[in-house]
Amino acid sequence: MHDDLNNLNLPRIIDDLATRGWSWQERCLPEALTLQLADECRKRARLGALAPASVGRGGGQAVRENVRSDRIQWLENGEHPACDRYLAVMDALREALNRALFIGLADYECHFAFYPPGAFYSRHLDRFRDDDRRTVSAVFYLNQDWAPEEGGALRLYPDGGEPFDVPPQAGSLALFMSAEMPHEVLPASRDRLSLTGWFRRR
Ligand code: OGA
Ligand code: MN
């Protein structure tokens, strides 16, 4: 098992996903790694490497700033040690979820996301109409010293439960079932950085 997985309360993640379809934990990775990932995201934003995110897939794919106004860049292996380390942790988590939940997660895709002040992503599901591979969504946050009044929460709408706001605090990880959990990103008063990804079936 990947050493960095030790920061996660894995039994709780597994139980949360199985019983209510979402999980949230703080301090999920070593602080130094979280800081390196935040630096890399900020650097890419500064260099103009992040592109306006689109919604939909295939012929229906389009940039719609009235739906989402973040900028993203997909991660590839071999670009940066911190990114590679993050991808390795997520792969170990993928295997752990498969062992415990038998959900057959085959791969993981992920992008940096940068929401400038005022940017948002209105309520949606993460599964595409014509592609049902996305199974578990994973959002890891990179924002040091986030204060509640700065906004920017990830608001989850569990079926039959109260909405739950996840603050985008550095080091915290939100996981939820992609096809079942409506959610939105509320606007913030400062830059909001994250690594957003999906465990996919074949
Ligand atoms: C997404 C998304 C949530 C977040 O990119 O699909 O819902 O908190 N992101 O950034
Ligand atoms: Mn989403």
Side-chain angles (χ1 to χ4, degrees):
M1 193 164 89
H2 199 284
D3 276 352
D4 290 335
L5 263 197
N6 295 335
N7 292 278
L8 292 176
N9 182 344
L10 208 46
R12 206 181 95 200
I13 289 177
I14 288 160
D15 189 59
D16 282 349
L17 287 179
T19 56
R20 62 180 191 184
W22 65 278
S23 189
W24 168 59
Q25 281 179 27
E26 297 178 281
R27 291 178 286 282
C28 286
L29 287 182
E31 200 175 343
L33 176 57
T34 305
L35 285 170
Q36 286 163 11
L37 292 166
D39 284 349
E40 179 63 11
C41 183
R42 233 176 267 111
K43 181 175 150 203
R44 292 180 186 208
R46 209 169 47 237
L47 294 175
L50 308 183
S54 56
V55 295
R57 246 190 107 256
Q61 187 170 349
V63 173
R64 294 217 185 79
E65 288 190 359
N66 57 336
V67 178
R68 69 183 292 190
S69 44
D70 56 325
R71 304 177 71 83
I72 67 164
Q73 188 184 38
W74 292 94
L75 260 67
E76 307 284 350
N77 249 308
E79 291 171 342
H80 189 281
C83 298
D84 290 354
R85 194 167 153 199
Y86 182 76
L87 289 171
V89 182
M90 287 296 123
D91 208 56
L93 177 57
R94 182 182 66 77
E95 287 176 350
L97 294 178
N98 281 343
R99 276 193 300 272
L101 298 168
F102 307 102
I103 47 178
L105 305 172
D107 65 15
Y108 174 75
E109 58 172 6
C110 129
H111 60 60
F112 279 117
F114 183 93
Y115 290 71
F120 62 92
Y121 193 163
S122 54
R123 182 172 165 147
H124 65 281
L125 289 172
D126 279 350
R127 188 171 275 192
F128 299 116
R129 231 162 287 149
D130 62 342
D131 180 346
D132 62 1
R133 286 178 297 168
R134 287 182 172 181
T135 304
V136 180
S137 305
V139 195
F140 182 66
Y141 296 102
L142 304 173
N143 311 288
Q144 294 294 321
D145 305 316
W146 194 272
E149 60 272 19
E150 291 173 313
L154 165 66
R155 182 165 290 169
L156 302 174
Y157 295 93
D159 190 30
E162 288 295 307
F164 184 85
D165 281 359
V166 175
Q169 173 64 35
S172 76
L173 177 70
L175 295 160
F176 54 89
M177 302 309 289
S178 307
E180 285 140 39
M181 184 63 68
H183 58 282
E184 68 176 313
V185 177
L186 302 177
S189 57
R190 64 181 252 210
D191 293 343
R192 178 192 191 274
L193 283 51
S194 67
L195 272 163
T196 301
W198 296 273
F199 296 101
R200 302 188 303 183
R201 291 190 179 123
R202 275 199 212 297

